[in-house]
Amino acid sequence: MRPDLQFDFVADKAKNTITVTREFDAERQMVWDCYTKSELLDRWFAPKPFTTKTKSMDFSEGGHWHYAMVDPDGNEYWCRMDYKTISAIDGYTAYDGFSDETGAINPDLPRATWDTRFKDKAERTVVETLVQYGSLQDLETVIGMGMEEGLKSTLERLDELLEVLNK
């Protein structure tokens, strides 16, 4: 990760939240598009060496994104994000969780509410995501699964994509 770009990962065990703040060297519209269009999400939304494939996406209030993170051996790890509210290029809220290939949520793994906000910072964009879990156990589970390291790697892939798109 570029040392001049902000990355903060703060877990608050009293509130069962994780706040991720990440700065990108791109204009807000481009970063927004990378978070909200499946053809762009498929190019970055998984930690290396995984790839992402979208099964279905409807980026609208009440819509969803159903996708898999695919490891180098071809194993698929399915997820589903259900969009609650959307304010174009400013932010959205959604429920995020692990699912199966049909989109059915896995009740044995944590589900969280994501509140993702996009802000201008000079020529850059800052994305702040507040992730709210239902319990301390759920929060500790995802931290134990490597959420911080996975997000770092995933967001570095977004940096790489933004470099390509900015050319």
Side-chain angles (χ1 to χ4, degrees):
M1 181 170 56
R2 287 181 29 192
D4 64 322
L5 296 175
Q6 177 184 6
F7 175 78
D8 296 317
F9 182 97
V10 179
D12 184 337
K13 292 185 177 188
K15 295 181 180 176
N16 304 326
T17 62
I18 295 171
T19 303
V20 180
T21 306
R22 182 61 154 77
E23 182 178 10
F24 297 98
D25 193 13
E27 65 176 29
R28 183 167 20 150
Q29 182 66 57
M30 186 177 293
V31 176
W32 172 263
D33 288 348
C34 286
Y35 271 79
T36 61
K37 294 182 177 182
S38 63
E39 65 272 15
L40 294 172
L41 283 160
D42 284 351
R43 295 173 65 182
W44 71 273
F45 199 82
K48 288 180 181 180
F50 289 75
T51 58
T52 304
K53 74 173 188 179
T54 295
K55 186 166 187 177
S56 61
M57 184 170 190
D58 172 11
F59 185 71
S60 66
E61 292 183 1
H64 72 276
W65 178 37
H66 183 210
Y67 64 98
M69 289 185 268
V70 184
D71 73 19
D73 295 326
N75 298 306
E76 298 174 340
Y77 303 90
W78 289 94
C79 302
R80 181 180 172 113
M81 186 167 285
D82 293 290
Y83 299 105
K84 293 173 28 183
T85 63
I86 297 170
S87 178
I89 82 162
D90 291 327
Y92 62 85
T93 60
Y95 291 124
D96 180 64
F98 296 94
S99 71
D100 64 16
E101 189 174 358
T102 71
I105 293 296
N106 181 341
D108 298 326
L109 291 172
R111 196 161 192 215
T113 301
W114 289 51
D115 184 352
T116 304
R117 301 287 151 207
F118 299 75
K119 298 175 185 162
D120 295 322
K121 181 179 179 183
E123 302 293 317
R124 295 180 173 175
T125 301
V126 173
V127 179
E128 183 173 283
T129 304
L130 176 65
V131 186
Q132 175 75 54
Y133 290 92
S135 69
L136 178 58
Q137 180 179 347
D138 286 352
L139 173 65
E140 290 177 337
T141 296
V142 297
I143 289 171
M145 292 170 71
M147 186 172 182
E148 182 174 3
E149 296 79 13
L151 274 174
K152 255 186 212 176
S153 176
T154 298
L155 297 173
E156 286 172 1
R157 294 184 84 175
L158 179 52
D159 284 331
E160 294 165 6
L161 176 59
L162 289 167
E163 271 187 45
V164 170
L165 296 175
N166 273 326
K167 289 184 180 178

